[in-house]
């Protein structure tokens, strides 16, 4: 019964996190627009948004979402928490439709429905959270041969990609950057879950910060987050965001679930039917996410710069010929 209550708490926190993070994008965009009307736009190198209260409200909302997501891992397995991150896309799309007047077209609605349906399937068949009483128990799970092999392979692949592949192919192959982010992300989630459990146990009266293992996981979280953010920024800067975001979500979620399955053995007590239902739910969320991202600009007016460029070409067709 305790495990079921913990799953409900984790589910509530994960959904709250998605709501906060999805809302934060819209709030920050409203703040950026207001700041751009009164000063130099951020896209042009301006920092007037730092004086805009709405932008700061969006930042605070995003931080609250990340804190809620962090706490969710203390109560529920990663196979439940991680896929629900896709719900932030729904919150963002719906709010943008009503607040920013960015049209949510038919394909967007279908994408939202697919994400909801897939999430419901995962929630209804999610495994119960493993009861852990101390950091030593987590350390015992982390030092099992299976997870040690996974960690070594993940780190070796990341180092190989960074030192041998990035310089030659990183600017051409999007999967190079995304693979680095996803591999490090799976280790980040494992470590975040360990730190979150340590905090939960400490708040319940059993101080876990007296153990060296707790601080080891904190260091791993810090290193993995820095590497992950660095190469995610490189991917976003080099490739189309509409492609990077869903591909990163899929690869990151798959590797995170695999890592947690190896370490925490989340699916050990489940039947084949339950596992298959969760996989179908995840595939449904992936389909909805891709549909939302690939068609998100349909029905929206083009950016002002693009409109001006097209008008100039219509007035002077020779510019198009000379440029080609």
């Amino acid at each position: 019964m305790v495990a079921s209550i913990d799953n409900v708490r984790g589910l509530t926190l994960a959904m709250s996190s998605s709501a906060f993070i999805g809302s934060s994008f819209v709030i920050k965009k409203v703040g950026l627009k207001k700041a751009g009307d009164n000063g130099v736009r951020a896209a042009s190198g301006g920092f007037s948004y730092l004086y805009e209260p709405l932008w700061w409200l969006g930042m605070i909302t995003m931080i609250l979402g990340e804190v809620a997501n962090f706490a969710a891992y203390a109560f529920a397995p990663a196979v439940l928490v991680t896929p629900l991150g896709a719900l932030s896309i729904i919150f963002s799309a719906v709010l943008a439709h009503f607040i920013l007047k960015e049209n949510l077209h038919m394909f967007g609605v279908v994408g939202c429905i697919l994400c909801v349906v897939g999430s419901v399937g995962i929630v209804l068949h999610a495994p119960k959270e493993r009861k852990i009483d101390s950091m030593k128990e987590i350390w015992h799970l982390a030092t099992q041969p299976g997870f040690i092999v996974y960690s070594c392979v993940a780190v070796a692949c990341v180092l190989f990609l960074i030192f041998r592949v990035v310089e030659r192919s990183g600017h051409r192959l999007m999967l190079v950057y995304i693979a680095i982010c996803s591999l490090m992300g799976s280790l980040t989630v494992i470590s975040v879950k360990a730190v979150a459990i340590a905090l939960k146990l400490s708040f319940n009266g059993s101080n876990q910060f007296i153990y060296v293992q707790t601080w080891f996981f904190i260091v791993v979280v810090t290193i993995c987050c820095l590497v992950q953010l660095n190469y995610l920024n490189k991917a976003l800067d080099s490739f189309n965001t509409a492609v990077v975001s869903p591909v990163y979500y899929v690869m990151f979620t798959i590797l995170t679930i695999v890592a947690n399955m190896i370490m925490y053995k989340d699916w050990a007590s489940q039947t084949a039917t339950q596992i298959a239902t969760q996989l179908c739910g995840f595939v449904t969320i992936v389909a909805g996410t891709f549909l939302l991202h690939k068609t998100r600009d349909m029905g929206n007016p083009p950016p002002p710069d693009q409109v001006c460029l097209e008008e100039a070409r219509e007035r002077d067709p020779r510019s198009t010929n000379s440029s080609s």
Side-chain angles (χ1 to χ4, degrees):
M1 186 65 182
V2 174
S4 298
I5 293 175
D6 279 354
N7 266 20
V8 172
R9 290 172 179 168
L11 171 63
T12 304
L13 287 166
M15 294 187 67
S16 300
S17 170
S18 295
F20 280 126
I21 292 174
S23 303
S24 71
F25 289 115
V26 176
I27 296 172
K28 285 197 295 183
K29 190 162 185 177
V30 173
L32 287 169
K33 283 187 174 182
K34 289 188 66 176
D37 293 338
N38 301 321
V40 181
R41 294 179 56 191
S44 302
F47 296 95
S48 57
Y49 60 87
L50 294 175
Y51 301 98
E52 177 55 51
L54 274 177
W55 185 84
W56 284 106
L57 177 61
M59 284 298 297
I60 293 171
T61 306
M62 177 170 282
I63 291 170
L64 289 174
E66 295 297 345
V67 170
N69 189 58
F70 175 84
Y73 283 108
F75 295 99
V79 68
L80 172 62
V81 176
T82 306
L84 291 182
L87 295 181
S88 63
I89 302 171
I90 297 178
F91 285 105
S92 178
V94 172
L95 288 176
H97 176 76
F98 290 105
I99 297 176
L100 300 176
K101 306 305 178 183
E102 296 180 358
N103 295 327
L104 185 62
H105 47 80
M106 181 183 66
F107 291 109
V109 174
V110 173
C112 290
I113 293 173
L114 287 173
C115 288
V116 171
V117 171
S119 299
V120 170
I122 289 177
V123 169
L124 292 178
H125 297 276
K128 293 182 179 180
E129 172 70 344
R130 184 190 186 107
K131 185 171 176 57
I132 294 176
D133 298 317
S134 71
M135 179 55 65
K136 289 185 177 180
E137 188 175 345
I138 298 177
W139 186 253
H140 174 72
L141 293 172
T143 53
Q144 292 292 308
F147 186 71
I148 289 177
V149 170
Y150 174 84
S151 300
C152 291
V153 170
V155 172
C157 288
V158 167
L159 293 175
F160 174 76
L161 290 171
I162 290 175
F163 293 108
R164 296 296 299 273
V165 181
V166 165
E167 187 175 349
R168 292 182 300 175
S169 307
H171 62 285
R172 292 186 296 104
L173 300 176
M174 178 184 64
L175 286 178
V176 174
Y177 291 140
I178 292 180
I180 294 172
C181 295
S182 301
L183 287 165
M184 296 304 285
S186 65
L187 298 179
T188 301
V189 170
I190 289 289
S191 303
V192 163
K193 185 174 179 67
V195 175
I197 292 174
L199 281 170
K200 182 179 75 170
L201 294 173
S202 298
F203 284 134
N204 290 336
S206 176
N207 185 12
Q208 300 299 306
F209 288 87
I210 59 175
Y211 299 114
V212 177
Q213 292 91 331
T214 304
W215 296 101
F216 172 80
F217 282 116
I218 292 174
V219 171
V220 172
V221 168
T222 304
I223 295 173
C224 289
C225 281
L226 291 175
V227 175
Q228 194 176 346
L229 287 173
N230 179 40
Y231 285 96
L232 182 58
N233 287 333
K234 289 179 182 291
L236 292 172
D237 188 49
S238 304
F239 304 98
N240 191 337
T241 306
V243 179
V244 171
S245 296
V247 173
Y248 171 60
Y249 168 77
V250 172
M251 187 176 291
F252 165 72
T253 305
I254 290 174
L255 289 173
T256 297
I257 291 175
V258 169
N260 276 267
M261 185 172 60
I262 293 172
M263 178 170 167
Y264 292 101
K265 301 174 177 61
D266 290 332
W267 284 337
S269 60
Q270 291 197 294
T271 64
T273 302
Q274 291 173 317
I275 295 173
T277 303
Q278 289 178 67
L279 291 175
C280 289
F282 174 63
V283 171
T284 305
I285 292 176
V286 169
T289 303
F290 266 95
L291 191 59
L292 272 169
H293 274 278
K294 294 294 287 183
T295 61
R296 63 181 179 178
D297 292 327
M298 288 178 60
N300 294 319
D305 295 341
Q306 184 177 343
V307 172
C308 294
L309 180 60
E310 290 177 355
E311 290 177 350
R313 287 177 175 174
E314 289 177 0
R315 288 194 300 268
D316 186 9
R318 290 175 300 175
S319 62
T320 305
N321 297 331
S322 62
S323 62
S324 59

